[in-house]
Amino acid sequence: MASLKLKKRDNGAEPDKKKLVIAGIRHQLLLLLRRRHRLFPLVSAVSGCLLLILFSFSALSPPPLIHHNNQVAVEPNPDPTTTPFRVPENGGRSDRQLWSSRLSNFYYACSNATDTFQVTGKARQTNRYLLIATSGGLNQQRTGIIDAVVAAYILNATLVVPKLDQKSYWKDTSNFEDIFDVDWFISHLSKDVKIIKELPKEEQSRISTSLQSMRVPRKCTPSCYLQRVLPILNKKHVVQLSKFDYRLSNNLDTELQKLRCRVNYHAVRYTESINRMGQLLVDRMRKKAKYFVALHLRFEPDMLAFSGCYYGGGQKERLELGAMRRRWKTLHAANPEKVRRHGRCPLTPEEIGLMLRGLGFGKEVHLYVASGEVYGGEDTLAPLRALFPNLHTKETLTSKKELAPFANFSSRMAALDFIVCDKSDAFVTNNNGNMARILAGRRRYLGHKVTIRPNAKKLYELFKNRHNMTWDDFSSKVRRYQTGFMGEPDEMKPGEGEFHENPASCICRTSEARVVEKKAKDVNEVDSSEYSDIGNVPIASRSDLDHSQVDEEIF
């Protein structure tokens, strides 16, 4: 069997740094010889040498990798239990273990409203109108749309179809009806909230010069809305809430959380043209393989700049990403090593590939990559492509003519990726941004489909030290660290994380679920390299779990 060996990167800047260290030490020694009769220069010389030596160790320590013209070599595969680190081509796991979880059969979506809740929803005030201006990219705006409906219910107001952000970084001119099925959105929620496409004519003329616009605090509770917004709404009749993203509390009562689910998973759906194109992409992936993995890869320059992480690109990377980072005036100077150590850096394409192989996905697996511009281009993607040569994107699956109606609109292109990721057999992400969280929640709600979130805090040390262990040791630790990060039921406690990621109030379990869970807990000892017979992850100690993730709300 062949294996893959990843070559070490070429630290092009190292020779210059070594010369600098040698020259500095030589200079300090000369000073010492010339002024050896004086104590202070002696102390200065010795101190300077020590500082330069310390600097050399720090500067020359290897950071995480962005590959520049690196290749992945195929070599004969020795015994993986005794030889140095080698990446096998074969993942070594069966389809059932990789692509499904039998535990999901014991859970189901339950977001229907009670009769009392919907009766209250019908008692709408006819002279209160709530306008919403969303913010950010497509999935950040989606959170605003969801919460807008709930805010309108709390305020007992008529909701005007939200306005999408056309001034953000992505500069997409699309309106709500260009991306979402607006008629379905209005009709599906008619029992909960009254929604209209635009203000009545008389209200439009009245507010043409005096529209009351305000911004509520982030995570504003229902009482916060009643205290801050309702008095103005009663007085002005029309209020616009601006930059509306994450402006509603994560923790609401169960009925309001279920309303969130009805909006997110049922009322907000894409237009027919977007759905048709998205399904075409899914069908073409299915023709290539019975099962496929979808990877949401956030490795765009702006994403990396915002994260404050360093990926080994030298002075060029520091200058380029540093200039981008300065656009966010509220961001502090970053400590890249600390950020990565805390699990807050997006994994590189190579790291994602190694994690997937460690989990059991072999070279034959077909991988759909949903991403924007990848920093470093094809050089950065090369290690992932070497591990998974069956790599596809929406651009490789379609012709330019087919993609033309969507190509100039970032939100419509993101919607296509969303559909493919949603319908994939296994979904993996290298980040904890908005799309990753919303898809994680959606896949829980719709059957706990395999959803892999990297345990970046644990994997950081593993990736750094991987060349000091065998592949068997590496893959065993990957599987152990990823326990609890694979989309299994009850991985996250109710109320943990964003509600869009963990919609616990909208997921019910059958009576049989308790029996199965009890049997699983009765298993006292199991080899950590083996998968359990009730899921697609190995049973391991819960002490290895770490759900802390950075909240990068602008993405």
Side-chain angles (χ1 to χ4, degrees):
M1 184 186 297
S3 70
L4 302 176
K5 179 180 178 182
L6 303 181
K7 292 185 179 180
K8 296 181 180 178
R9 70 185 171 93
D10 179 18
N11 288 311
E14 287 188 12
D16 292 337
K17 291 179 181 176
K18 290 179 180 177
K19 289 179 182 178
L20 176 65
V21 171
I22 294 170
I25 293 173
R26 184 183 298 166
H27 176 68
Q28 295 294 341
L29 289 175
L30 286 173
L31 288 176
L32 174 61
L33 291 172
R34 291 176 182 175
R35 304 177 185 178
R36 60 183 180 275
H37 60 285
R38 296 172 63 183
L39 178 62
F40 183 75
L42 173 63
V43 174
S44 298
V46 174
S47 300
C49 290
L50 289 173
L51 286 172
L52 284 167
I53 291 170
L54 288 172
F55 169 78
S56 69
F57 281 119
S58 173
L60 300 177
S61 61
L65 304 184
I66 286 183
H67 285 256
H68 300 283
N69 299 320
N70 281 356
Q71 299 296 323
V72 180
V74 178
E75 299 180 357
N77 185 30
D79 184 351
T81 63
T82 59
T83 56
F85 187 80
R86 298 289 189 273
V87 184
E89 292 183 347
N90 189 347
R93 292 290 177 266
S94 71
D95 286 348
R96 183 190 65 78
Q97 293 167 328
L98 286 175
W99 305 108
S100 64
S101 163
R102 277 191 279 172
L103 273 181
S104 64
N105 296 329
F106 301 104
Y107 293 80
Y108 61 95
C110 52
S111 61
N112 291 338
T114 62
D115 293 339
T116 304
F117 183 86
Q118 291 195 324
V119 167
T120 305
K122 289 180 179 178
R124 296 286 100 191
Q125 289 285 342
T126 57
N127 62 343
R128 293 179 189 161
Y129 298 95
L130 184 64
L131 305 180
I132 295 291
T134 61
S135 175
L138 176 63
N139 292 287
Q140 186 172 334
Q141 292 183 87
R142 188 186 186 105
T143 66
I145 293 167
I146 296 162
D147 289 347
V149 175
V150 182
Y153 182 92
I154 292 169
L155 294 167
N156 193 17
T158 297
L159 176 66
V160 180
V161 169
K163 291 169 56 180
L164 300 189
D165 186 354
Q166 299 178 344
K167 298 179 180 179
S168 66
Y169 173 82
W170 294 271
K171 298 291 188 297
D172 191 316
T173 59
S174 300
N175 294 313
F176 188 100
E177 61 272 17
D178 295 322
I179 299 175
F180 303 108
D181 186 336
V182 65
D183 292 325
W184 172 261
F185 177 71
I186 293 171
S187 64
H188 192 78
L189 294 169
S190 60
K191 293 182 179 180
D192 297 305
V193 172
K194 183 179 180 182
I195 305 175
I196 58 177
K197 292 183 180 180
E198 57 183 20
L199 279 173
K201 299 292 185 186
E202 60 273 16
E203 293 294 343
Q204 289 184 31
S205 59
R206 192 169 63 80
I207 67 166
S208 58
T209 57
S210 60
L211 174 62
Q212 178 69 48
S213 183
M214 62 183 295
R215 188 182 300 179
V216 295
R218 286 185 180 271
K219 312 297 184 184
C220 194
T221 63
S223 60
C224 165
Y225 276 88
L226 295 176
Q227 292 169 8
R228 291 173 177 262
V229 183
L230 186 58
I232 301 173
L233 192 58
N234 283 332
K235 182 179 179 180
K236 298 288 188 177
H237 301 293
V238 180
V239 170
Q240 175 175 276
L241 301 182
S242 62
K243 201 169 176 60
F244 199 78
D245 59 334
Y246 295 94
R247 303 290 167 176
L248 184 61
S249 174
N250 193 49
N251 299 311
L252 302 173
D253 68 53
T254 300
E255 287 290 353
L256 292 178
Q257 299 288 49
K258 287 179 180 290
L259 176 56
R260 266 177 164 161
C261 292
R262 291 197 296 280
V263 181
N264 192 7
Y265 307 128
H266 301 284
V268 176
R269 71 183 190 185
Y270 296 118
T271 61
E272 183 181 348
S273 60
I274 290 176
N275 271 323
R276 187 168 55 248
M277 188 63 185
Q279 187 58 50
L280 178 66
L281 292 169
V282 173
D283 292 342
R284 289 180 180 176
M285 285 299 296
R286 292 276 178 230
K287 287 181 180 178
K288 295 180 180 296
K290 182 178 180 181
Y291 303 110
F292 73 92
V293 177
L295 164 62
H296 180 225
L297 182 66
R298 290 304 312 268
F299 217 72
E300 300 92 334
D302 60 304
M303 175 68 167
L304 303 187
F306 183 82
S307 72
C309 302
Y310 174 62
Y311 289 94
Q315 188 68 3
K316 180 175 181 291
E317 177 187 331
R318 291 189 180 95
L319 291 174
E320 289 176 349
L321 299 187
M324 290 184 183
R325 185 174 172 83
R326 286 192 288 274
R327 292 194 318 226
W328 293 286
K329 301 187 185 302
T330 57
L331 292 182
H332 302 294
N335 181 335
E337 176 64 20
K338 182 179 179 181
V339 175
R340 178 167 281 269
R341 191 168 61 248
H342 288 178
R344 296 177 179 175
C345 288
L347 268 61
T348 67
E350 179 190 28
E351 289 169 341
I352 284 288
L354 289 172
M355 181 190 71
L356 288 174
R357 185 59 49 81
L359 289 171
F361 293 92
K363 184 178 182 180
E364 74 286 352
V365 167
H366 284 256
L367 187 66
Y368 178 90
V369 178
S371 71
E373 173 195 0
V374 174
Y375 185 66
E378 281 300 316
D379 286 344
T380 301
L381 285 174
L384 176 63
R385 195 182 295 276
L387 289 164
F388 295 95
N390 299 313
L391 190 151
H392 313 279
T393 66
K394 53 187 173 294
E395 288 81 8
T396 63
L397 292 171
T398 60
S399 66
K400 287 186 177 180
K401 182 178 180 181
E402 288 174 317
L403 211 54
F406 313 93
N408 294 325
F409 302 93
S410 61
S411 290
R412 300 179 207 185
M413 294 286 272
L416 297 178
D417 281 336
F418 187 99
I419 292 170
V420 181
C421 290
D422 181 36
K423 297 190 176 184
S424 65
D425 302 285
F427 171 65
V428 60
T429 177
N430 75 325
N431 67 94
N432 196 40
N434 288 302
M435 180 168 165
R437 285 190 296 228
I438 288 177
L439 273 168
R442 182 178 178 86
R443 291 171 70 88
R444 290 181 194 279
Y445 180 82
L446 298 176
H448 287 91
K449 295 187 285 185
V450 177
T451 303
I452 305 169
R453 298 173 300 127
N455 185 353
K457 193 172 182 179
K458 287 285 188 180
L459 292 175
Y460 158 69
E461 290 290 341
L462 187 60
F463 289 137
K464 188 171 70 171
N465 299 316
R466 67 182 184 270
H467 292 293
N468 298 324
M469 64 184 74
T470 65
W471 173 256
D472 271 11
D473 289 339
F474 176 85
S475 60
S476 176
K477 288 182 178 180
V478 168
R479 294 194 294 275
R480 186 166 76 249
Y481 294 162
Q482 282 302 120
T483 306
F485 291 80
M486 301 289 289
E488 289 288 330
D490 289 345
E491 279 184 355
M492 301 177 73
K493 297 176 182 177
E496 183 179 3
E498 290 289 340
F499 183 76
H500 305 299
E501 178 183 14
N502 182 28
S505 302
C506 305
I507 298 173
C508 299
R509 56 183 180 174
T510 65
S511 57
E512 294 90 345
R514 298 182 187 277
V515 177
V516 175
E517 287 168 356
K518 185 178 185 305
K519 288 181 179 178
K521 289 178 181 177
D522 289 340
V523 178
N524 294 320
E525 293 184 2
V526 65
D527 183 349
S528 65
S529 68
E530 295 296 328
Y531 279 64
S532 75
D533 63 354
I534 59 171
N536 65 334
V537 292
I539 299 174
S541 169
R542 300 298 291 185
S543 63
D544 285 328
L545 304 190
D546 174 18
H547 294 291
S548 62
Q549 299 285 345
V550 65
D551 183 14
E552 297 166 348
E553 290 180 341
I554 70 160
F555 295 104

